[in-house]
Amino acid sequence: MALSSELIANRHGRLYFDGIDATVLAKKYGTPLLITSERRLIDNYSRIVSAFRKNYRNFRINYAIKANPNPNIIAIIAKRGGGTDVASVGEIDIALMAGVPRDRIMFSPNNVSAEDFRYAIDRHIPVNFDDIGQYELALRYANPDLVSFRLNPGFGKGEFPGIVTAGPQAKFGIPETHIMKCYALAKKSGVKRFGIHAMGGSNVLSPEYFAAITSRITEVAGRIAKKIGIEFEFIDIGGGLGVPYRNEDHDLDIERTAKLVVDRFRDGCDKSDLGNPTLTVEPGRYLVADTTILLGTVNNVKRYSKTFIGTDIGMNVLIRPALYNAHHEILVANRMGRPNSGKATVVGQICENTDAIARDRSLPSVSVGDTLAVLNAGAYVYSMSNQYNSIPRPMELLITKTGKELVMRRRETKEDVLRTVIFHK
């Protein structure tokens, strides 16, 4: 998925993205510039739906909008029946703006206020609680129509330690030893509709891992249902479906993943008499990562003991390499096909030495004015961007399935950076 020949092409030494010359887009709209392919987004969504529904019809995708919260992206998914996983009241508003039905929005926050729960409950948004204390906080206002609790399955997996979302060191979820009393309290409080959720990993490329998570959550759900005397409307195995960020990485075999997950799901439901609950997954990265490239301009080249390529793509735009040492492939969009000439560190404009999107990377020789393209920029790029050093955030552009160019988010201005300031002279 990282280098799809359908999406990325070298035509006469120039990078074409979804059929359009990327260097032309860089000149037309300026840089930094995020460009998303609607066609690729639809393909990614359809691939998951097809793989799972051929094995189990009662299946739903809840897109984890923290990966990319642009309402235009969410609307494309919602129009095809997808729901959303949201982590804040702001993301609730974005999902509603994008046209997601309320019953297809799952609010899965942690450590939020009673007012935030009230906001969701007032709008009849289902809530997935991260702790019994959070449920008790919500009860100060009202009971949600449907209650789910987030299980910590006891193990987790992720590309980096910082994105492992389960296990003894994770802040998320409730151990099995404590989750039983959560459902007992909810039933005692009058709740009639239930779900259960687990989120064990992030950017995982192993089908067997998702099968293990599925087995774990269905086993726990079976014990809860039997002891507390409740039925589950849905069992949500979370997200974590991975994508390859390096050329040498392999794609996640989504067909095998779906087959293994459904086999374990059916087996767990049959053994515990769980019936036919909805099987839910929460992909974020898998849906959007490879739909998007990030274009930047080379502003300076330092060649001393090390070579530094200075660009307008800093950690304010793409923080993942500085935060996790994450890898993104980089192409020189106007010098495609040229051999690598040596190693260079690609840096931005931010006043921090951690401001690098690639360190000691083999790249072709570049000059001031060249256009760089960073791949897999659709997930956790704009959503984690910021205004550090008072630099405005970039534009987001959509290439529609018919080939039109639509601005999804305008480029911020210097005035936007100061928009919320109240200055007292």
Side-chain angles (χ1 to χ4, degrees):
M1 291 173 68
L3 282 171
S4 167
S5 59
E6 298 176 359
L7 197 61
I8 301 285
N10 175 5
R11 298 183 187 174
H12 311 294
R14 289 180 177 269
L15 171 66
Y16 275 68
F17 179 75
D18 204 10
I20 300 177
D21 188 335
T23 62
V24 171
L25 294 175
K27 291 178 180 177
K28 182 176 180 180
Y29 295 100
T31 61
L33 175 66
L34 287 155
I35 310 170
T36 296
S37 166
E38 179 184 21
R39 183 167 58 92
R40 184 63 174 182
L41 176 61
I42 294 169
D43 287 348
N44 290 347
Y45 179 84
S46 300
R47 190 183 308 110
I48 301 177
V49 171
S50 173
F52 276 89
R53 285 208 174 134
K54 72 174 60 171
N55 294 285
Y56 190 76
R57 296 299 300 174
N58 192 10
F59 169 75
R60 176 182 293 179
I61 289 177
N62 280 347
Y63 166 54
I65 71 174
K66 62 180 179 289
N68 187 328
N70 192 294
N72 297 280
I73 300 293
I74 301 163
I76 292 168
I77 294 169
K79 287 174 184 176
R80 285 156 180 81
T84 54
D85 163 58
V86 303
S88 69
V89 295
E91 288 186 349
I92 288 176
D93 287 346
I94 293 171
L96 291 172
M97 177 190 293
V100 182
R102 296 169 191 267
D103 64 349
R104 286 182 176 264
I105 301 172
M106 177 56 68
F107 184 38
S108 297
N110 68 105
N111 306 319
V112 300
S113 67
E115 288 74 20
D116 286 353
F117 286 123
R118 178 173 183 168
Y119 193 85
I121 294 167
D122 277 349
R123 288 155 182 78
H124 301 284
I125 306 295
V127 181
N128 180 41
F129 292 96
D130 188 62
D131 183 60
I132 193 170
Q134 288 273 273
Y135 179 61
E136 290 169 337
L137 195 63
L139 283 178
R140 294 181 185 179
Y141 170 65
N143 232 353
D145 302 325
L146 184 153
V147 167
S148 173
F149 289 98
R150 178 172 179 162
L151 171 72
N152 184 330
F155 60 92
K157 188 178 180 67
E159 186 181 6
F160 317 110
I163 59 175
V164 176
T165 55
Q169 303 303 316
K171 73 169 186 172
F172 301 103
I174 308 162
E176 182 184 358
T177 51
H178 294 268
I179 202 167
M180 203 75 71
K181 61 183 178 182
C182 297
Y183 283 98
L185 175 60
K187 182 182 179 183
K188 183 180 178 181
S189 301
V191 176
K192 305 295 185 185
R193 301 172 60 205
F194 296 93
I196 188 169
H197 171 278
M199 176 70 178
S202 186
N203 202 36
V204 178
L205 298 173
S206 166
E208 289 74 18
Y209 181 76
F210 296 104
I213 284 288
T214 304
S215 291
R216 175 69 172 142
I217 191 172
T218 53
E219 288 169 3
V220 174
R223 288 192 280 270
I224 293 169
K226 183 177 181 179
K227 184 170 182 178
I228 306 300
I230 61 174
E231 294 183 1
F232 287 107
E233 290 189 16
F234 68 84
I235 295 177
D236 187 336
I237 66 169
L241 301 174
V243 302
Y245 279 87
R246 299 173 185 269
N247 290 333
E248 62 268 25
D249 290 342
H250 63 83
D251 286 340
L252 172 66
D253 187 338
I254 196 66
E255 293 287 339
R256 177 170 169 75
T257 300
K259 180 67 166 58
L260 289 176
V261 165
V262 170
D263 285 349
R264 299 287 183 92
F265 186 77
R266 287 185 183 278
D267 184 59
C269 289
D270 289 345
K271 285 181 178 178
S272 300
D273 294 322
L274 290 170
N276 186 40
T278 300
L279 170 61
T280 304
V281 298
E282 296 176 349
R285 189 190 316 270
Y286 188 94
L287 288 174
V288 296
D290 76 339
T291 66
T292 304
I293 61 172
L294 170 61
L295 299 183
T297 300
V298 176
N299 291 330
N300 189 47
V301 181
K302 287 184 178 181
R303 292 185 176 92
Y304 300 121
S305 58
K306 289 175 66 74
T307 297
F308 292 93
I309 299 173
T311 75
D312 55 4
I313 303 174
M315 59 189 284
N316 60 314
V317 178
L318 174 59
I319 199 172
R320 297 185 71 252
L323 190 61
Y324 305 127
N325 197 30
H327 180 95
H328 287 260
E329 294 291 338
I330 298 174
L331 305 175
V332 185
N334 57 309
R335 297 176 186 262
M336 293 288 288
R338 294 194 180 185
N340 294 333
S341 63
K343 291 186 176 181
T345 294
V346 184
V347 297
Q349 303 168 320
I350 300 303
C351 191
E352 298 283 349
N353 205 43
T354 52
D355 180 32
I357 61 172
R359 293 189 181 276
D360 298 320
R361 184 77 59 85
S362 293
L363 291 169
S365 178
V366 300
S367 301
V368 171
D370 284 347
T371 302
L372 300 187
V374 181
L375 305 188
N376 278 337
Y380 305 105
V381 177
Y382 196 97
S383 63
M384 297 177 75
S385 65
N386 56 79
Q387 296 175 342
Y388 188 35
N389 282 177
S390 297
I391 298 176
R393 284 178 285 233
M395 175 186 290
E396 292 181 290
L397 184 73
L398 180 71
I399 307 301
T400 71
K401 59 186 178 181
T402 59
K404 293 182 180 179
E405 301 163 16
L406 295 180
V407 176
M408 294 193 294
R409 194 189 305 262
R410 67 167 173 81
R411 187 179 307 283
E412 286 185 341
T413 65
K414 295 189 294 297
E415 288 73 26
D416 290 321
V417 175
L418 293 170
R419 194 166 301 280
T420 58
V421 172
I422 302 173
F423 180 57
H424 301 280
K425 294 183 179 180

